[in-house]
């Protein structure tokens, strides 16, 4: 057993799986959590001399987050990577209540409940690091992915405010990772597959590179990191371009049939 412990959510694939590799390489025992099955999350991780525990649970529910906390079994959480998140493509009025509610509850309710529980312990001892996966989508009105973009706007804004509240706790850091379009299962799961321009894009970012940007920023105690130069430009432009234009640009990426 290592002398330091990390929890990583959304860790069955994509950015979360890459964060788990980085944490294991740095000597953290791991609790990796997702709402989809793990093929073999310990492969290549336990061999690094750390303990790896996996948990498949629905993090959109308070009960699911409580199950995660119970699995940690009272162990001090040195690092939390709150990476779990869902998207939901297609027009809002075509979506089912259960589907868009699950996105909101995963991306917002479950995330901030987990933060509330873990941060409280970190602040009490004035020690700990948290990485929250936001998105540059939070700066863009997300036509045909409107609920997701709205949740990421909340996360980007919420973590910025929370950092200010925590500024007197020098031993605790909160970092927001804001990636752009990344080559993960996100788009297929969100219904933004090959018939959308964003789903068909062959130039998505490498999740390993995004995770490394986030991990390095976490260890350095940075407030936030936008992964990728072109994404930094998009964030900068979002403060200048009218919201209606940004919404139309997003429509051209995410509307079904836009791949044509």
């Amino acid at each position: 057993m290592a002398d330091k412990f990390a929890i990583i959510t959304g860790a069955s694939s994509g950015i979360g799986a890459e964060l788990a590799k980085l944490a294991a390489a740095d000597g953290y025992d791991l609790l990796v959590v997702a709402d989809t099955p793990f093929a073999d999350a310990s492969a290549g991780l336990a061999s690094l001399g750390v303990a790896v525990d996996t948990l498949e649970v629905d993090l959109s529910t308070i009960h699911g987050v409580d199950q995660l906390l119970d699995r940690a079994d009272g162990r001090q959480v040195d690092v939390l990577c709150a990476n779990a998140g869902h998207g939901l493509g297609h027009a809002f009025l075509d979506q089912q209540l259960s589907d868009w509610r699950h996105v909101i509850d995963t991306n917002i309710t479950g995330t901030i409940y987990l933060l509330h529980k873990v941060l409280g312990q970190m602040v009490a001892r004035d020690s700990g690091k948290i990485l929250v996966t936001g998105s540059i989508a939070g700066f863009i009105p997300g036509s045909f992915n409107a609920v997701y973009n709205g949740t990421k706007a909340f996360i980007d804004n919420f973590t910025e405010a929370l950092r200010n509240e925590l500024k007197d706790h020098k031993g605790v850091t909160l970092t927001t990772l804001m990636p752009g379009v990344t080559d993960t299962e996100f788009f297929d799961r969100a219904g933004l597959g090959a018939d959308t321009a964003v789903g068909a894009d062959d130039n998505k970012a490498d999740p390993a590179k995004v995770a490394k940007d986030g991990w390095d920023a976490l260890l350095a105690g940075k407030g936030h990191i936008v992964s990728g130069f072109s994404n930094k430009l998009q964030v900068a432009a979002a403060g200048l371009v009218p919201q209606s234009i940004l919404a139309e640009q997003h429509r051209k990426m995410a509307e079904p049939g836009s791949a044509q």
Side-chain angles (χ1 to χ4, degrees), residues 78-218:
D78 301 293
V79 165
L80 168 65
C81 295
N83 173 73
H86 287 175
L88 185 61
H90 298 279
F92 173 66
L93 293 180
D94 294 335
Q95 297 166 356
Q96 297 299 310
L97 165 62
S98 59
D99 292 331
W100 60 253
R101 177 67 185 271
H102 195 266
V103 172
I104 293 171
D105 286 343
T106 301
N107 297 3
I108 297 179
T109 307
T111 297
I112 66 173
Y113 177 57
L114 179 58
L115 289 178
H116 193 266
K117 301 294 282 189
V118 175
L119 260 177
Q121 298 171 358
M122 290 182 172
V123 167
R125 65 176 188 267
D126 198 28
S127 175
K129 292 182 176 295
I130 292 182
L131 179 71
V132 180
T133 302
S135 176
I136 69 166
F139 295 89
I140 304 167
S143 307
F144 295 92
N145 199 17
V147 174
Y148 173 80
N149 283 42
T151 64
K152 289 304 180 179
F154 175 93
I155 290 297
D156 293 346
N157 186 287
F158 174 78
T159 52
E160 194 66 50
L162 194 52
R163 268 189 295 278
N164 181 267
E165 293 185 18
L166 297 171
K167 68 179 183 179
D168 294 330
H169 300 279
K170 304 302 183 184
V172 179
T173 63
L174 173 63
T175 304
T176 310
L177 170 61
M178 293 181 279
V181 177
T182 306
D183 190 11
T184 70
E185 297 175 0
F186 171 89
F187 297 96
D188 286 335
R189 291 189 67 193
L192 292 164
D195 69 329
T196 67
V198 67
D201 185 1
D202 292 328
N203 295 310
K204 298 182 180 73
D206 180 356
K209 170 63 167 58
V210 174
K212 185 66 164 59
D213 287 345
W215 187 254
D216 288 348
L218 168 79

